[in-house]
Amino acid sequence: MSIIVNVDVMMAKRKMRAGDLAEKVGITNANLSILKNGKAKAIRFSTLEAICKVLDCQPGDILEYRGDKNEQ
């Protein structure tokens, strides 16, 4: 099971730099980097909401599920 975080894709579509997004959302650059690199174990709904608001997108644009082909 894999949850893919597509923040970087949406940032590119909106031509927004990571530092700008982190500042507008109210999180550190380090935490945004952890999220972008798929290392995050969780995300608060308030953070997801803020990211969606700043990037003018839906949560489904940010988070994607890709199941393992070997799962039964």
Side-chain angles (χ1 to χ4, degrees):
M1 171 181 89
S2 295
I3 300 294
I4 309 301
V5 181
N6 293 314
V7 172
D8 52 348
V9 173
M10 291 308 299
M11 286 172 45
K13 287 181 179 180
R14 304 298 190 251
K15 296 180 171 65
M16 184 172 290
R17 296 181 341 179
D20 295 335
L21 178 61
E23 183 180 330
K24 290 179 180 183
V25 170
I27 60 175
T28 64
N29 287 332
N31 282 340
L32 180 59
S33 178
I34 289 168
L35 185 61
K36 283 177 40 185
N37 293 324
K39 305 275 187 200
K41 300 280 187 213
I43 183 170
R44 291 183 177 168
F45 281 136
S46 59
T47 303
L48 181 59
E49 179 181 6
I51 290 171
C52 289
K53 186 174 185 177
V54 170
L55 293 176
D56 189 29
C57 64
Q58 295 295 312
D61 297 326
I62 302 290
L63 302 175
E64 175 184 350
Y65 171 74
R66 288 190 197 157
D68 185 5
K69 293 178 183 175
N70 296 326
E71 284 185 15
Q72 296 291 335

